[in-house]
Amino acid sequence: MRSIILGAALLAGLSGGEARAGEIAQIGPRPFYLVDSMKPGPVQDRLRACGSDRTYTARAFSIAHRGAPLQFPEHTREGVRAAARMGAGSIECDVVFTRDRHLVCRHAQCDLHTTTDILARPELAAKCSRDFQPADPATGRKASARCCTSDLTLAEFRTLNGKMDAFDAEATTRAAYMNATPRWRTDLYATTGTPMTHGEYIVLVKSLGRRFIPELKAPEVAMPFGGYTQDQYAQAMIDAYRQAGVPAADVRPQSFQLRDILYWLEAEPDFGRQALWLDNRDETDPGFDPETPASWKPGMADLAALGLRTLAPPLWMLVRVGAGGGIEPSAYARAAKAAGLDLITWSLERSGPLKGGGGYYYKSIRPLIERDGDVLALLDVLYRDVGVTGVFSDWPATTTFYANCMGIE
């Protein structure tokens, strides 16, 4: 089994990967459950014909979002390994910094209270920006806390244990606040969650023969932080790959902040040309509409002129309900392709059961989302009609399965 080799497009230029890079992907039963729950039609027929008895291998199209957080604590060694086993060609680390300015993997600078056991550790909870405050039904106050990586030193961060990302805003105790994993996820694999530094992530992903897709997270503290500037932070992330001997071709830096992309294009052009701009203007610009080009500031041609090559919006921005009642590319998707921009999108398998519309990630096609199998119907449109070159997923087995079945590297 270890003699099976990944497609050349995935591993071309990879340095230092061990033989494990050629392992067969373990996709498990979920993709077949999704196929069985699709609406009957040509896409279901083709995916069903793919079969469970064939060999599946890792694919570049399949990108692990924070590891495999549908069932494993995000940004942990265990989640990264699970994602690699499921055939993710690239594995994400969201990069933030500690109080002593070491880079670590965490989805947000201030999420330790929902993604780790910090609130159950009195000596560390006392260091939080805001320790746990219980809900007060009499006043309507919600339970809250705010614990940031920048509240802790690297040594303190290393002692944490990851847990499934969740909290209960109605909780009156710490234990209840922490014990809130949604029913459609699981704590079965959350008894151990080993947090990683950015450097440890590089070593692990390199050993697995996968590519790197680090995201520089926006700081949630005033910058400069003790003299640490945004540009120093952006540079430190790139420096880590240089120091580890990882070529720029194996790294896809990301940021929601366009200024970070422009910094990399200027200071580190080999890495900058690989960068993804994560477009969340729907959350930052009240006037933004993916069907109204005049609301896109900057526009697609402007982005291309700045040197951006890859745009990465959420799933819903790329699709709409077509005149015939099916899913079709949005005006945003068509304009991006016309401007010569590659598209990568996020995040599949993050919405739980799709009965009832699928929530945020499906909001532009909500009338068409009725069942779990619709995730594959959307994925098919994203690949065939929109032309995405990669898809983030919380359960990479699904995207690995689809890529193998459709012959995508």
Side-chain angles (χ1 to χ4, degrees):
M1 290 175 63
R2 289 179 185 271
S3 64
I4 302 296
I5 304 300
L6 298 178
L10 172 63
L11 292 182
L14 264 179
S15 60
E18 297 178 358
R20 280 194 294 272
E23 281 186 345
I24 294 170
Q26 302 170 17
I27 63 170
R30 180 164 175 78
F32 304 102
Y33 158 75
L34 294 174
V35 172
D36 288 343
S37 65
M38 293 181 74
K39 297 173 186 174
V43 178
Q44 186 194 47
D45 291 343
R46 183 167 182 183
L47 293 175
R48 185 169 277 164
C50 195
S52 60
D53 56 349
R54 62 169 288 170
T55 297
Y56 292 88
T57 58
R59 301 295 167 115
F61 183 81
S62 179
I63 304 172
H65 182 237
R66 314 185 199 176
L70 183 66
Q71 295 193 9
F72 288 81
E74 63 187 50
H75 292 310
T76 61
R77 295 183 67 86
E78 294 79 7
V80 166
R81 288 181 173 133
R85 291 187 181 107
M86 285 188 271
S90 299
I91 300 174
E92 184 183 43
C93 166
D94 293 326
V95 177
V96 295
F97 55 85
T98 62
R99 192 173 74 218
D100 45 358
R101 296 185 302 209
H102 290 277
L103 302 183
V104 299
C105 297
R106 195 79 354 227
H107 176 244
Q109 187 172 29
C110 296
D111 75 355
L112 296 181
H113 50 288
T114 67
T115 63
T116 76
D117 64 349
I118 191 170
L119 293 180
R121 313 276 293 278
E123 73 285 4
L124 295 181
K127 298 177 182 288
C128 291
S129 297
R130 186 176 66 252
D131 198 357
F132 173 69
Q133 296 292 319
D136 185 347
T139 64
R141 184 185 69 192
K142 302 295 185 182
S144 66
R146 180 180 172 84
C147 302
C148 308
T149 57
S150 50
D151 294 333
L152 304 181
T153 65
L154 176 60
E156 291 165 339
F157 174 83
R158 287 183 185 279
T159 69
L160 296 171
N161 291 306
K163 73 175 190 69
M164 298 301 283
D165 184 12
F167 69 97
D168 181 358
E170 306 301 324
T172 57
T173 67
R174 290 174 187 266
Y177 182 82
M178 297 171 64
N179 185 23
T181 302
R183 291 177 62 189
W184 48 271
R185 288 185 176 152
T186 181
D187 287 318
L188 186 62
Y189 307 113
T191 54
T192 301
T194 309
M196 298 177 297
T197 67
H198 181 224
E200 291 165 346
Y201 153 83
I202 293 174
V203 170
L204 178 56
V205 172
K206 188 175 181 180
S207 77
L208 294 167
R210 301 304 195 259
R211 283 180 170 165
F212 309 86
I213 191 157
E215 180 189 336
L216 192 77
K217 299 302 294 191
E220 296 186 45
V221 294
M223 299 290 280
F225 178 77
Y228 194 45
T229 69
Q230 183 69 26
D231 287 350
Q232 288 174 324
Y233 175 35
Q235 186 63 50
M237 189 179 89
I238 301 302
D239 287 344
Y241 294 94
R242 289 197 179 281
Q243 292 162 9
V246 177
D250 296 340
V251 186
R252 302 300 306 271
Q254 314 168 74
S255 180
F256 281 102
Q257 300 183 96
L258 185 58
R259 56 118 33 235
D260 294 332
I261 310 296
L262 299 179
Y263 172 82
W264 290 324
L265 283 167
E266 176 66 25
E268 294 284 355
D270 289 345
F271 288 89
R273 286 189 290 268
Q274 295 272 100
L276 285 62
W277 182 39
L278 300 163
D279 189 356
N280 69 334
R281 284 178 286 182
D282 61 312
E283 297 180 346
T284 61
D285 181 355
F288 178 84
D289 177 2
E291 295 300 325
T292 307
S295 73
W296 311 338
K297 300 173 184 178
M300 299 300 179
D302 299 322
L303 291 170
L306 289 170
L308 181 72
R309 294 186 175 186
T310 306
L311 189 58
L315 302 170
W316 74 269
M317 280 193 199
L318 295 175
V319 290
R320 67 188 181 195
V321 178
I327 305 171
E328 69 175 24
S330 66
Y332 176 105
R334 296 174 192 273
K337 298 302 287 186
L341 297 171
D342 286 335
L343 290 169
I344 288 176
T345 189
W346 43 277
S347 294
L348 220 62
E349 306 271 46
R350 190 148 188 88
S351 301
L354 297 189
K355 181 179 180 180
Y360 170 79
Y361 290 101
Y362 297 82
K363 69 180 186 178
S364 61
I365 53 170
R366 188 166 293 152
L368 306 179
I369 303 302
E370 301 173 346
R371 62 191 79 188
D372 290 343
D374 289 335
V375 70
L376 290 173
L378 171 60
L379 186 57
D380 191 64
V381 172
L382 288 169
Y383 173 66
R384 292 186 176 280
D385 300 330
V386 174
V388 300
T389 58
V391 178
F392 284 89
S393 177
D394 280 24
W395 198 244
T398 299
T399 41
T400 299
F401 165 78
Y402 178 84
N404 275 265
C405 290
M406 298 302 177
I408 311 166
E409 290 299 338

